[in-house]
Amino acid sequence: MLAITERWEGGSDCHTDNTEKYLLHMLFKVGLDATVFYICYRKLYTSFLSMCSMSIILADLVMACSMANVWFLRAERSPVSPCFLLANASATYGALPLSMMCLGLLDYCSEATSLGNQSAFCKFLRNAILTLLVWMLAIVYSFSSVKAELMELDYVTGIKTLVCEVEESTLVTYFILGIFTAVICALLPFWSRIAQWVKEADRLFEAREEQEDERSDLLFTSTNCTDTKSSEENYLDETIGPRPPLWLSLTLGFGTFWMPYLAVTVACLVFGFGVPAYITVNVVWLECTNSLLTGVVFWVKSKMLGPYSNLPENVCLWQIYWHLSQGTRLQPLPVAVFNPTKGKRNTLLYL
């Protein structure tokens, strides 16, 4: 892929410098990544991939500041050229996906081992060191393999351009295309039942939200058995109808959230919109990958541990879709309730 840095028409003073456009692209990516990171991650540093997302935002900021410096000083006074930044950034970002995916999967698989029982500080330190190591290897690879050289192209129409070769992330491209194809092929035979399953999953989610609200309200209020029975009426009862198998239910949960992103990305590929690696490797892609890895590990562990495991929080509602496949309803968990009417004798009641 060739990135056009400058363009001018022969025999005229019409000259275009595209440095400003690349700067705007990076600023937009920083804003998008920061927004997605804020929405998706409620607990920071709990997993390796969450640390990777933060590192991508920091790298985007460095890239944006460097491009702003080049744009402000112009190519004549800047210590580096736009071509140097674009070529090395695309190679660095392109080297990240495979190592991040493998280490992220190992991180989730190790949750049930002694590594997963470490303190929060130890996990933070381990994730920080691994993330730094991944970036160092990617940077070393980019500087050793990339030749940031400007090339001049002359067109028959008299237009001349200065271009720089940048890399695309082939792994991200085929990864997204493969996931999109797999989700479509898995859900297409059950197309007529998807609307019913999604509606039932929404009812399960609403029942869980009501259960959590009631549990928080009961912490400082009195209760009795009749209150418990009335609250159970709000839970989703079993409905008559075919249930999706667990793998299909989890695929549906993944697809309902990430299909818009996958569809837009695949559309760009179909229409030939080339996107360099420093744009495609972003927090949106990393969170989509995080959801896929979490779903696979959840599916494997759910056979032994049920729907409630120690995996980090995720945007996909894996527990809801586990209940959807099993045909069960949400049951209230024991909760301590303060009853001010009973004094010191019966301070705690259990539901």
Side-chain angles (χ1 to χ4, degrees):
M1 176 185 292
L2 299 177
I4 301 176
T5 58
E6 295 183 44
R7 176 181 178 180
W8 66 89
E9 297 182 6
S12 65
D13 297 332
C14 184
H15 177 267
T16 304
D17 188 356
N18 291 327
T19 306
E20 181 180 359
K21 296 181 180 179
Y22 293 117
L23 173 60
L24 293 177
H25 290 165
M26 291 307 304
L27 291 176
F28 174 77
K29 186 192 176 187
V30 171
L32 177 64
D33 287 348
T35 302
V36 174
F37 184 80
Y38 176 78
I39 294 174
C40 294
Y41 289 101
R42 300 178 182 177
K43 295 180 180 179
L44 304 181
Y45 322 127
T46 56
S47 66
F48 170 74
L49 291 180
S50 66
M51 184 68 70
C52 289
S53 295
M54 179 171 290
S55 68
I56 288 180
I57 297 176
L58 295 177
D60 292 343
L61 285 173
V62 173
M63 179 68 177
C65 293
S66 302
M67 192 63 68
N69 183 64
V70 173
W71 173 72
F72 181 76
L73 297 177
R74 301 301 177 185
E76 297 80 9
R77 295 181 295 171
S78 175
V80 294
S81 64
C83 179
F84 177 85
L85 291 177
L86 296 176
N88 284 278
S90 62
T92 301
Y93 280 84
L96 295 175
L98 182 60
S99 56
M100 286 186 174
M101 291 168 58
C102 294
L103 290 176
L105 181 59
L106 290 176
D107 180 41
Y108 287 151
C109 293
S110 64
E111 285 294 331
T113 63
S114 58
L115 293 176
N117 297 326
Q118 294 176 343
S119 63
F121 176 77
C122 292
K123 288 183 179 180
F124 166 75
L125 188 61
R126 180 192 65 190
N127 294 333
I129 293 175
L130 290 177
T131 304
L132 183 61
L133 180 62
V134 168
W135 276 99
M136 289 178 60
L137 293 177
I139 292 174
V140 170
Y141 164 77
S142 66
F143 278 94
S144 61
S145 62
V146 173
K147 295 182 179 180
E149 297 179 354
L150 281 173
M151 296 176 289
E152 183 176 339
L153 300 180
D154 296 331
Y155 295 92
V156 180
T157 57
I159 298 178
K160 298 182 179 181
T161 59
L162 287 179
V163 298
C164 178
E165 186 176 0
V166 296
E167 296 182 9
E168 295 182 82
S169 180
T170 307
L171 178 61
V172 172
T173 300
Y174 287 106
F175 179 78
I176 294 177
L177 186 60
I179 293 178
F180 179 81
T181 304
V183 172
I184 291 296
C185 293
L187 298 181
L188 192 59
F190 307 93
W191 191 259
S192 60
R193 302 175 184 174
I194 289 179
Q196 178 185 358
W197 289 338
V198 171
K199 184 182 297 185
E200 189 171 347
D202 292 338
R203 293 172 58 191
L204 276 169
F205 177 75
E206 293 175 359
R208 188 182 71 170
E209 292 295 316
E210 292 177 1
Q211 176 179 337
E212 292 178 354
D213 292 341
E214 291 177 359
R215 190 183 308 166
S216 61
D217 292 339
L218 288 172
L219 286 177
F220 298 99
T221 59
S222 59
T223 184
N224 51 38
C225 296
T226 58
D227 294 334
T228 303
K229 293 179 180 180
S230 62
S231 62
E232 288 185 357
E233 294 177 357
N234 295 326
Y235 302 143
L236 180 66
D237 292 330
E238 298 183 6
T239 58
I240 300 175
R243 295 282 177 174
L246 182 58
W247 67 268
L248 180 61
S249 182
L250 297 181
T251 303
L252 180 61
F254 176 86
T256 52
F257 191 90
W258 288 111
M259 187 54 69
Y261 164 70
L262 298 176
V264 171
T265 306
V266 171
C268 292
L269 297 176
V270 171
F271 289 103
F273 295 136
V275 184
Y278 60 84
I279 297 296
T280 56
V281 181
N282 50 42
V283 176
V284 184
W285 169 81
L286 193 60
E287 179 58 25
C288 179
T289 304
N290 185 26
S291 295
L292 178 67
L293 297 180
T294 308
V296 172
V297 176
F298 179 88
W299 175 65
V300 174
K301 289 187 175 183
S302 62
K303 298 180 179 180
M304 301 176 293
L305 303 178
Y308 302 102
S309 60
N310 53 355
L311 292 174
E313 295 180 358
N314 193 261
V315 293
C316 295
L317 305 175
W318 304 122
Q319 297 175 359
I320 297 298
Y321 284 89
W322 185 92
H323 285 288
L324 175 66
S325 66
Q326 301 299 319
T328 57
R329 57 182 176 180
L330 299 176
Q331 298 294 336
L333 299 176
V335 59
V337 180
F338 176 70
N339 189 349
T341 61
K342 298 296 182 179
K344 296 183 179 180
R345 293 175 300 174
N346 297 324
T347 304
L348 295 178
L349 299 178
Y350 292 91
L351 300 179

